[in-house]
Amino acid sequence: QLQLAESGGGVVQPGGSLRLSCAASGFNFANYGIGWFRQAPGKEREGVSCISLISSSRSTIDYVDSVKGRFTISTDNAKNTVVLQMYSLKPEDTAAYYCAASDRATWLPMTARSDYQYWGGGTQVTVSL
């Protein structure tokens, strides 16, 4: 059974860092695209970062403008894990963060919720003094 589990959330002061992990089980994530989304209270879930078709040499990475230069997505193939490293965190980064997997065989970046079929349960990130 395909499962995704996020970890690494917590409370951090503005300017701090957190490292989120998305552990995939029940499937080889190299054949999937992985996206990170976040949802703040009262707001729509938005795409944060994605990496398409991990096994492809043409795999692409994308970030929403608000996190470019501060967040980095990477994969640990040996652990079937996708990591979202977050630096210079701001209060507006506060949200529940979710990872998602897509079985669409495309190297193009997938930034929409509808691109993904499988979702983890989320991990909370709170940026506050």
mmCIF file with all atom_site columns, all heavy atoms in Angstrom, residues 114-126:
data_model
loop_
_atom_site.group_PDB
_atom_site.id
_atom_site.type_symbol
_atom_site.label_atom_id
_atom_site.label_alt_id
_atom_site.label_comp_id
_atom_site.label_asym_id
_atom_site.label_entity_id
_atom_site.label_seq_id
_atom_site.pdbx_PDB_ins_code
_atom_site.Cartn_x
_atom_site.Cartn_y
_atom_site.Cartn_z
_atom_site.occupancy
_atom_site.B_iso_or_equiv
_atom_site.pdbx_formal_charge
_atom_site.auth_seq_id
_atom_site.auth_comp_id
_atom_site.auth_asym_id
_atom_site.auth_atom_id
_atom_site.pdbx_PDB_model_num
ATOM 1   N N   . SER A 1 114 ? -4.350 18.904 -8.164  1.00 0.00 ? 114 SER A N   1
ATOM 2   C CA  . SER A 1 114 ? -4.971 17.886 -9.004  1.00 0.00 ? 114 SER A CA  1
ATOM 3   C C   . SER A 1 114 ? -3.959 16.993 -9.711  1.00 0.00 ? 114 SER A C   1
ATOM 4   O O   . SER A 1 114 ? -4.327 15.957 -10.259 1.00 0.00 ? 114 SER A O   1
ATOM 5   C CB  . SER A 1 114 ? -5.889 18.550 -10.041 1.00 0.00 ? 114 SER A CB  1
ATOM 6   O OG  . SER A 1 114 ? -5.157 19.456 -10.835 1.00 0.00 ? 114 SER A OG  1
ATOM 7   N N   . ASP A 1 115 ? -2.701 17.392 -9.694  1.00 0.00 ? 115 ASP A N   1
ATOM 8   C CA  . ASP A 1 115 ? -1.656 16.559 -10.313 1.00 0.00 ? 115 ASP A CA  1
ATOM 9   C C   . ASP A 1 115 ? -1.317 15.343 -9.459  1.00 0.00 ? 115 ASP A C   1
ATOM 10  O O   . ASP A 1 115 ? -0.667 14.420 -9.927  1.00 0.00 ? 115 ASP A O   1
ATOM 11  C CB  . ASP A 1 115 ? -0.373 17.367 -10.508 1.00 0.00 ? 115 ASP A CB  1
ATOM 12  C CG  . ASP A 1 115 ? -0.510 18.413 -11.604 1.00 0.00 ? 115 ASP A CG  1
ATOM 13  O OD1 . ASP A 1 115 ? -1.220 18.156 -12.595 1.00 0.00 ? 115 ASP A OD1 1
ATOM 14  O OD2 . ASP A 1 115 ? 0.104  19.490 -11.464 1.00 0.00 ? 115 ASP A OD2 1
ATOM 15  N N   . TYR A 1 116 ? -1.720 15.358 -8.196  1.00 0.00 ? 116 TYR A N   1
ATOM 16  C CA  . TYR A 1 116 ? -1.272 14.353 -7.232  1.00 0.00 ? 116 TYR A CA  1
ATOM 17  C C   . TYR A 1 116 ? -2.404 13.452 -6.776  1.00 0.00 ? 116 TYR A C   1
ATOM 18  O O   . TYR A 1 116 ? -3.525 13.907 -6.540  1.00 0.00 ? 116 TYR A O   1
ATOM 19  C CB  . TYR A 1 116 ? -0.617 15.047 -6.031  1.00 0.00 ? 116 TYR A CB  1
ATOM 20  C CG  . TYR A 1 116 ? 0.627  15.794 -6.438  1.00 0.00 ? 116 TYR A CG  1
ATOM 21  C CD1 . TYR A 1 116 ? 0.565  17.106 -6.895  1.00 0.00 ? 116 TYR A CD1 1
ATOM 22  C CD2 . TYR A 1 116 ? 1.867  15.164 -6.408  1.00 0.00 ? 116 TYR A CD2 1
ATOM 23  C CE1 . TYR A 1 116 ? 1.702  17.773 -7.302  1.00 0.00 ? 116 TYR A CE1 1
ATOM 24  C CE2 . TYR A 1 116 ? 3.012  15.831 -6.806  1.00 0.00 ? 116 TYR A CE2 1
ATOM 25  C CZ  . TYR A 1 116 ? 2.924  17.134 -7.254  1.00 0.00 ? 116 TYR A CZ  1
ATOM 26  O OH  . TYR A 1 116 ? 4.057  17.787 -7.662  1.00 0.00 ? 116 TYR A OH  1
ATOM 27  N N   . GLN A 1 117 ? -2.068 12.185 -6.633  1.00 0.00 ? 117 GLN A N   1
ATOM 28  C CA  . GLN A 1 117 ? -3.076 11.191 -6.273  1.00 0.00 ? 117 GLN A CA  1
ATOM 29  C C   . GLN A 1 117 ? -2.937 10.701 -4.824  1.00 0.00 ? 117 GLN A C   1
ATOM 30  O O   . GLN A 1 117 ? -3.891 10.174 -4.247  1.00 0.00 ? 117 GLN A O   1
ATOM 31  C CB  . GLN A 1 117 ? -2.989 9.960  -7.195  1.00 0.00 ? 117 GLN A CB  1
ATOM 32  C CG  . GLN A 1 117 ? -3.198 10.251 -8.664  1.00 0.00 ? 117 GLN A CG  1
ATOM 33  C CD  . GLN A 1 117 ? -1.967 10.781 -9.351  1.00 0.00 ? 117 GLN A CD  1
ATOM 34  O OE1 . GLN A 1 117 ? -0.840 10.401 -9.027  1.00 0.00 ? 117 GLN A OE1 1
ATOM 35  N NE2 . GLN A 1 117 ? -2.138 11.699 -10.298 1.00 0.00 ? 117 GLN A NE2 1
ATOM 36  N N   . TYR A 1 118 ? -1.762 10.861 -4.260  1.00 0.00 ? 118 TYR A N   1
ATOM 37  C CA  . TYR A 1 118 ? -1.507 10.290 -2.939  1.00 0.00 ? 118 TYR A CA  1
ATOM 38  C C   . TYR A 1 118 ? -0.974 11.382 -2.015  1.00 0.00 ? 118 TYR A C   1
ATOM 39  O O   . TYR A 1 118 ? -0.104 12.165 -2.419  1.00 0.00 ? 118 TYR A O   1
ATOM 40  C CB  . TYR A 1 118 ? -0.491 9.138  -3.053  1.00 0.00 ? 118 TYR A CB  1
ATOM 41  C CG  . TYR A 1 118 ? -0.851 8.129  -4.112  1.00 0.00 ? 118 TYR A CG  1
ATOM 42  C CD1 . TYR A 1 118 ? -0.272 8.190  -5.376  1.00 0.00 ? 118 TYR A CD1 1
ATOM 43  C CD2 . TYR A 1 118 ? -1.791 7.131  -3.856  1.00 0.00 ? 118 TYR A CD2 1
ATOM 44  C CE1 . TYR A 1 118 ? -0.616 7.280  -6.364  1.00 0.00 ? 118 TYR A CE1 1
ATOM 45  C CE2 . TYR A 1 118 ? -2.138 6.215  -4.843  1.00 0.00 ? 118 TYR A CE2 1
ATOM 46  C CZ  . TYR A 1 118 ? -1.551 6.307  -6.081  1.00 0.00 ? 118 TYR A CZ  1
ATOM 47  O OH  . TYR A 1 118 ? -1.903 5.396  -7.053  1.00 0.00 ? 118 TYR A OH  1
ATOM 48  N N   . TRP A 1 119 ? -1.459 11.389 -0.789  1.00 0.00 ? 119 TRP A N   1
ATOM 49  C CA  . TRP A 1 119 ? -1.123 12.459 0.148   1.00 0.00 ? 119 TRP A CA  1
ATOM 50  C C   . TRP A 1 119 ? -0.736 11.892 1.507   1.00 0.00 ? 119 TRP A C   1
ATOM 51  O O   . TRP A 1 119 ? -1.290 10.884 1.964   1.00 0.00 ? 119 TRP A O   1
ATOM 52  C CB  . TRP A 1 119 ? -2.318 13.393 0.336   1.00 0.00 ? 119 TRP A CB  1
ATOM 53  C CG  . TRP A 1 119 ? -2.621 14.183 -0.897  1.00 0.00 ? 119 TRP A CG  1
ATOM 54  C CD1 . TRP A 1 119 ? -3.333 13.765 -1.987  1.00 0.00 ? 119 TRP A CD1 1
ATOM 55  C CD2 . TRP A 1 119 ? -2.194 15.514 -1.187  1.00 0.00 ? 119 TRP A CD2 1
ATOM 56  N NE1 . TRP A 1 119 ? -3.371 14.769 -2.931  1.00 0.00 ? 119 TRP A NE1 1
ATOM 57  C CE2 . TRP A 1 119 ? -2.687 15.851 -2.467  1.00 0.00 ? 119 TRP A CE2 1
ATOM 58  C CE3 . TRP A 1 119 ? -1.443 16.459 -0.484  1.00 0.00 ? 119 TRP A CE3 1
ATOM 59  C CZ2 . TRP A 1 119 ? -2.450 17.093 -3.060  1.00 0.00 ? 119 TRP A CZ2 1
ATOM 60  C CZ3 . TRP A 1 119 ? -1.228 17.692 -1.076  1.00 0.00 ? 119 TRP A CZ3 1
ATOM 61  C CH2 . TRP A 1 119 ? -1.726 18.002 -2.341  1.00 0.00 ? 119 TRP A CH2 1
ATOM 62  N N   . GLY A 1 120 ? 0.206  12.587 2.150   1.00 0.00 ? 120 GLY A N   1
ATOM 63  C CA  . GLY A 1 120 ? 0.522  12.270 3.527   1.00 0.00 ? 120 GLY A CA  1
ATOM 64  C C   . GLY A 1 120 ? -0.414 13.020 4.465   1.00 0.00 ? 120 GLY A C   1
ATOM 65  O O   . GLY A 1 120 ? -1.252 13.811 4.025   1.00 0.00 ? 120 GLY A O   1
ATOM 66  N N   . GLY A 1 121 ? -0.254 12.767 5.768   1.00 0.00 ? 121 GLY A N   1
ATOM 67  C CA  . GLY A 1 121 ? -1.129 13.370 6.753   1.00 0.00 ? 121 GLY A CA  1
ATOM 68  C C   . GLY A 1 121 ? -0.730 14.753 7.213   1.00 0.00 ? 121 GLY A C   1
ATOM 69  O O   . GLY A 1 121 ? -1.501 15.421 7.917   1.00 0.00 ? 121 GLY A O   1
ATOM 70  N N   . GLY A 1 122 ? 0.468  15.202 6.845   1.00 0.00 ? 122 GLY A N   1
ATOM 71  C CA  . GLY A 1 122 ? 0.898  16.556 7.151   1.00 0.00 ? 122 GLY A CA  1
ATOM 72  C C   . GLY A 1 122 ? 1.740  16.660 8.414   1.00 0.00 ? 122 GLY A C   1
ATOM 73  O O   . GLY A 1 122 ? 1.710  15.805 9.297   1.00 0.00 ? 122 GLY A O   1
ATOM 74  N N   . THR A 1 123 ? 2.506  17.738 8.477   1.00 0.00 ? 123 THR A N   1
ATOM 75  C CA  . THR A 1 123 ? 3.290  18.076 9.661   1.00 0.00 ? 123 THR A CA  1
ATOM 76  C C   . THR A 1 123 ? 3.205  19.591 9.850   1.00 0.00 ? 123 THR A C   1
ATOM 77  O O   . THR A 1 123 ? 3.266  20.351 8.876   1.00 0.00 ? 123 THR A O   1
ATOM 78  C CB  . THR A 1 123 ? 4.752  17.606 9.525   1.00 0.00 ? 123 THR A CB  1
ATOM 79  O OG1 . THR A 1 123 ? 5.457  17.849 10.748  1.00 0.00 ? 123 THR A OG1 1
ATOM 80  C CG2 . THR A 1 123 ? 5.489  18.295 8.387   1.00 0.00 ? 123 THR A CG2 1
ATOM 81  N N   . GLN A 1 124 ? 3.050  20.034 11.089  1.00 0.00 ? 124 GLN A N   1
ATOM 82  C CA  . GLN A 1 124 ? 2.817  21.446 11.364  1.00 0.00 ? 124 GLN A CA  1
ATOM 83  C C   . GLN A 1 124 ? 4.137  22.199 11.495  1.00 0.00 ? 124 GLN A C   1
ATOM 84  O O   . GLN A 1 124 ? 5.046  21.751 12.208  1.00 0.00 ? 124 GLN A O   1
ATOM 85  C CB  . GLN A 1 124 ? 2.005  21.606 12.651  1.00 0.00 ? 124 GLN A CB  1
ATOM 86  C CG  . GLN A 1 124 ? 1.737  23.047 13.046  1.00 0.00 ? 124 GLN A CG  1
ATOM 87  C CD  . GLN A 1 124 ? 0.826  23.776 12.061  1.00 0.00 ? 124 GLN A CD  1
ATOM 88  O OE1 . GLN A 1 124 ? -0.095 23.174 11.504  1.00 0.00 ? 124 GLN A OE1 1
ATOM 89  N NE2 . GLN A 1 124 ? 1.068  25.067 11.862  1.00 0.00 ? 124 GLN A NE2 1
ATOM 90  N N   . VAL A 1 125 ? 4.210  23.332 10.830  1.00 0.00 ? 125 VAL A N   1
ATOM 91  C CA  . VAL A 1 125 ? 5.334  24.254 10.959  1.00 0.00 ? 125 VAL A CA  1
ATOM 92  C C   . VAL A 1 125 ? 4.793  25.566 11.497  1.00 0.00 ? 125 VAL A C   1
ATOM 93  O O   . VAL A 1 125 ? 3.873  26.145 10.920  1.00 0.00 ? 125 VAL A O   1
ATOM 94  C CB  . VAL A 1 125 ? 6.030  24.481 9.603   1.00 0.00 ? 125 VAL A CB  1
ATOM 95  C CG1 . VAL A 1 125 ? 7.064  25.609 9.719   1.00 0.00 ? 125 VAL A CG1 1
ATOM 96  C CG2 . VAL A 1 125 ? 6.693  23.203 9.123   1.00 0.00 ? 125 VAL A CG2 1
ATOM 97  N N   . THR A 1 126 ? 5.359  26.009 12.609  1.00 0.00 ? 126 THR A N   1
ATOM 98  C CA  . THR A 1 126 ? 4.947  27.275 13.212  1.00 0.00 ? 126 THR A CA  1
ATOM 99  C C   . THR A 1 126 ? 6.173  28.155 13.368  1.00 0.00 ? 126 THR A C   1
ATOM 100 O O   . THR A 1 126 ? 7.161  27.756 13.995  1.00 0.00 ? 126 THR A O   1
ATOM 101 C CB  . THR A 1 126 ? 4.287  27.054 14.568  1.00 0.00 ? 126 THR A CB  1
ATOM 102 O OG1 . THR A 1 126 ? 3.148  26.198 14.408  1.00 0.00 ? 126 THR A OG1 1
ATOM 103 C CG2 . THR A 1 126 ? 3.829  28.377 15.170  1.00 0.00 ? 126 THR A CG2 1
#
